[in-house]
Coordinates of all heavy atoms in Angstrom, one line a residue:
M1079 N 0.8 -1.1 0.0 CA 0.0 -0.1 0.0 C 0.9 1.3 0.1 O 0.6 2.3 -0.6 CB -0.9 0.0 1.2 CG -1.8 1.2 1.4 SD -2.9 1.4 0.0 CE -4.1 0.2 0.4
R1080 N 2.0 1.2 0.7 CA 2.9 2.4 0.7 C 3.5 2.6 -0.7 O 3.8 3.8 -1.0 CB 3.9 2.2 1.9 CG 5.0 3.2 1.9 CD 4.4 4.6 2.4 NE 5.4 5.6 2.5 CZ 5.8 6.3 1.4 NH1 5.3 6.2 0.3 NH2 6.7 7.3 1.6
L1081 N 3.8 1.5 -1.3 CA 4.5 1.7 -2.7 C 3.5 2.2 -3.8 O 3.9 2.9 -4.7 CB 5.1 0.3 -3.0 CG 6.4 0.0 -2.3 CD1 6.8 -1.4 -2.6 CD2 7.5 0.8 -2.5
T1082 N 2.3 1.7 -3.7 CA 1.3 1.9 -4.8 C 0.2 2.9 -4.4 O -0.5 3.4 -5.4 CB 0.7 0.6 -5.2 OG1 0.0 0.0 -4.1 CG2 1.8 -0.4 -5.8
G1083 N -0.2 3.0 -3.2 CA -1.3 3.9 -2.8 C -1.0 5.3 -2.9 O 0.2 5.8 -2.9
T1084 N -2.1 6.1 -2.8 CA -2.0 7.6 -2.7 C -1.6 7.9 -1.3 O -1.7 7.2 -0.3 CB -3.3 8.3 -3.2 OG1 -4.3 7.8 -2.3 CG2 -3.6 7.9 -4.6
S1085 N -1.3 9.3 -1.1 CA -1.0 9.8 0.3 C -2.2 9.7 1.1 O -2.0 9.3 2.4 CB -0.6 11.3 0.1 OG 0.5 11.4 -0.7
V1086 N -3.4 9.9 0.7 CA -4.6 9.8 1.5 C -4.8 8.4 1.9 O -5.1 8.1 3.1 CB -5.8 10.4 0.9 CG1 -7.1 10.2 1.7 CG2 -5.6 11.9 0.5
D1087 N -4.7 7.4 1.0 CA -4.8 6.0 1.4 C -3.8 5.5 2.3 O -4.1 4.7 3.2 CB -4.8 5.2 0.1 CG -6.0 5.3 -0.8 OD1 -7.1 5.8 -0.3 OD2 -5.9 5.2 -2.0
C1088 N -2.5 6.0 2.2 CA -1.5 5.6 3.1 C -1.7 6.0 4.5 O -1.6 5.2 5.5 CB -0.1 6.1 2.7 SG 0.5 5.4 1.1
Y1089 N -2.1 7.3 4.7 CA -2.5 7.8 6.1 C -3.7 7.1 6.7 O -3.8 6.7 7.8 CB -2.7 9.2 6.0 CG -1.4 10.0 6.0 CD1 -1.1 10.8 4.8 CD2 -0.4 10.0 6.9 CE1 0.1 11.5 4.8 CE2 0.8 10.7 6.8 CZ 1.1 11.5 5.7 OH 2.2 12.1 5.6
K1090 N -4.6 6.8 5.7 CA -5.9 6.2 6.2 C -5.8 4.8 6.7 O -6.5 4.4 7.7 CB -7.0 6.4 5.1 CG -8.4 5.9 5.3 CD -9.2 6.0 4.2 CE -10.7 5.5 4.5 NZ -11.6 5.6 3.2
Y1091 N -5.0 4.0 5.9 CA -5.0 2.6 6.3 C -3.7 2.2 7.1 O -3.8 1.1 7.8 CB -5.0 1.7 5.0 CG -6.2 1.8 4.2 CD1 -6.2 2.5 3.0 CD2 -7.3 1.2 4.6 CE1 -7.4 2.6 2.2 CE2 -8.6 1.3 3.9 CZ -8.5 2.0 2.7 OH -9.8 2.1 2.0
L1092 N -2.7 3.0 7.1 CA -1.5 2.6 7.8 C -1.5 3.2 9.3 O -0.9 2.5 10.2 CB -0.3 3.1 7.1 CG 0.0 2.5 5.7 CD1 1.3 2.9 5.2 CD2 -0.1 0.9 5.8
E1093 N -2.0 4.3 9.5 CA -2.0 4.9 10.9 C -2.7 4.2 11.9 O -2.3 4.1 13.0 CB -2.6 6.4 10.8 CG -1.6 7.4 10.2 CD -2.1 8.8 10.2 OE1 -3.3 9.0 10.3 OE2 -1.3 9.8 10.1
P1094 N -3.8 3.5 11.6 CA -4.4 2.6 12.7 C -3.5 1.4 13.1 O -3.7 0.9 14.3 CB -5.6 2.0 12.0 CG -6.0 3.0 10.9 CD -4.7 3.5 10.4
L1095 N -2.4 1.1 12.3 CA -1.5 0.0 12.8 C -0.5 0.5 13.9 O 0.3 -0.3 14.3 CB -0.7 -0.5 11.5 CG -1.6 -1.0 10.4 CD1 -0.6 -1.6 9.3 CD2 -2.5 -2.0 10.8
Y1096 N -0.6 1.9 14.2 CA 0.3 2.3 15.4 C -0.1 1.7 16.6 O 0.7 1.7 17.6 CB 0.2 3.8 15.4 CG 1.1 4.6 14.5 CD1 0.6 5.6 13.7 CD2 2.4 4.4 14.5 CE1 1.4 6.3 12.8 CE2 3.3 5.1 13.7 CZ 2.7 6.1 12.9 OH 3.6 6.8 12.0
N1097 N -1.4 1.2 16.7 CA -1.9 0.5 17.9 C -1.4 -1.0 18.0 O -1.8 -1.6 19.0 CB -3.3 0.6 18.1 CG -3.8 2.1 18.1 OD1 -3.1 2.9 18.6 ND2 -4.9 2.4 17.5
D1098 N -0.7 -1.5 17.0 CA -0.2 -2.9 17.1 C 1.2 -2.9 17.6 O 2.1 -2.3 17.0 CB -0.2 -3.4 15.6 CG -0.2 -4.9 15.6 OD1 0.2 -5.5 16.7 OD2 -0.3 -5.5 14.5
Y1099 N 1.4 -3.5 18.7 CA 2.7 -3.5 19.4 C 3.3 -4.9 19.4 O 4.2 -5.2 20.3 CB 2.5 -3.0 20.8 CG 1.8 -1.7 21.0 CD1 0.6 -1.6 21.6 CD2 2.3 -0.5 20.4 CE1 0.0 -0.4 21.8 CE2 1.7 0.7 20.5 CZ 0.5 0.7 21.2 OH -0.1 2.0 21.3
R1100 N 3.0 -5.8 18.5 CA 3.5 -7.1 18.4 C 4.9 -7.1 17.9 O 5.3 -6.2 17.1 CB 2.7 -7.9 17.6 CG 1.4 -8.3 18.2 CD 0.5 -9.2 17.3 NE 0.1 -8.5 16.1 CZ -0.7 -9.0 15.1 NH1 -1.0 -10.4 15.2 NH2 -1.0 -8.3 14.1
K1101 N 5.7 -8.0 18.4 CA 7.1 -8.1 18.1 C 7.2 -8.9 16.7 O 6.5 -9.9 16.5 CB 7.9 -8.8 19.1 CG 8.0 -8.1 20.4 CD 8.9 -8.9 21.4 CE 9.0 -8.2 22.7 NZ 9.8 -9.0 23.6
V1102 N 8.1 -8.5 15.8 CA 8.5 -9.1 14.6 C 9.9 -9.3 14.4 O 10.8 -8.5 15.1 CB 8.0 -8.4 13.4 CG1 6.4 -8.3 13.4 CG2 8.4 -6.9 13.4
K1103 N 10.3 -10.2 13.7 CA 11.7 -10.5 13.5 C 12.1 -9.9 12.1 O 11.4 -10.0 11.1 CB 12.0 -12.0 13.4 CG 13.4 -12.5 13.5 CD 13.6 -13.9 13.3 CE 13.1 -14.7 14.4 NZ 13.3 -16.2 14.2
M1104 N 13.3 -9.1 12.1 CA 13.8 -8.5 10.9 C 15.2 -8.9 10.7 O 16.0 -8.9 11.6 CB 13.7 -6.9 11.1 CG 14.1 -6.2 9.9 SD 13.8 -4.4 10.1 CE 14.3 -3.8 8.5
Q1105 N 15.5 -9.2 9.4 CA 16.8 -9.6 9.0 C 17.6 -8.3 8.5 O 17.2 -7.5 7.7 CB 16.7 -10.6 7.9 CG 18.1 -11.2 7.5 CD 18.0 -12.2 6.4 OE1 17.1 -12.2 5.5 NE2 18.7 -13.3 6.4
K1106 N 18.8 -8.3 9.1 CA 19.6 -7.1 8.7 C 20.5 -7.4 7.5 O 20.5 -8.4 6.9 CB 20.5 -6.7 9.9 CG 19.7 -6.2 11.1 CD 20.6 -5.6 12.2 CE 21.3 -6.7 12.9 NZ 22.2 -6.2 14.1
R1107 N 21.3 -6.3 7.1 CA 22.1 -6.5 5.9 C 23.2 -7.6 6.0 O 23.6 -8.3 5.0 CB 22.7 -5.1 5.6 CG 23.4 -5.0 4.2 CD 22.2 -5.1 3.1 NE 22.9 -5.1 1.8 CZ 22.9 -4.0 1.0 NH1 22.5 -2.9 1.4 NH2 23.5 -4.1 -0.2
D1108 N 23.7 -7.7 7.2 CA 24.7 -8.7 7.5 C 24.2 -10.2 7.6 O 25.0 -11.1 7.9 CB 25.6 -8.4 8.6 CG 24.8 -8.1 9.8 OD1 23.6 -8.2 9.8 OD2 25.4 -7.8 10.9
G1109 N 22.9 -10.4 7.6 CA 22.3 -11.6 7.8 C 21.8 -12.0 9.1 O 21.1 -13.0 9.3
E1110 N 22.2 -11.1 10.1 CA 21.7 -11.4 11.4 C 20.3 -10.8 11.6 O 19.8 -10.0 10.9 CB 22.6 -10.7 12.5 CG 24.1 -11.2 12.4 CD 25.0 -10.6 13.4 OE1 24.5 -9.7 14.2 OE2 26.1 -11.2 13.5

């Protein structure tokens, strides 16, 4: 949505996800 959507759609659909505090795993550039 961030890549293809308009500015209004990005704020409208992504800002409610600020209330999601779940942990996720992210892979860094060095593979860790």
Side-chain angles (χ1 to χ4, degrees):
M1079 178 61 75
R1080 176 67 180 86
L1081 290 171
T1082 60
T1084 61
S1085 299
V1086 178
D1087 291 337
C1088 290
Y1089 286 115
K1090 183 180 179 181
Y1091 294 109
L1092 297 186
E1093 281 183 344
L1095 302 184
Y1096 275 128
N1097 300 326
D1098 192 349
Y1099 308 113
R1100 288 180 293 181
K1101 294 180 181 179
V1102 292
K1103 194 187 293 183
M1104 185 172 184
Q1105 190 178 30
K1106 295 188 290 185
R1107 192 66 182 263
D1108 56 357
E1110 296 182 358

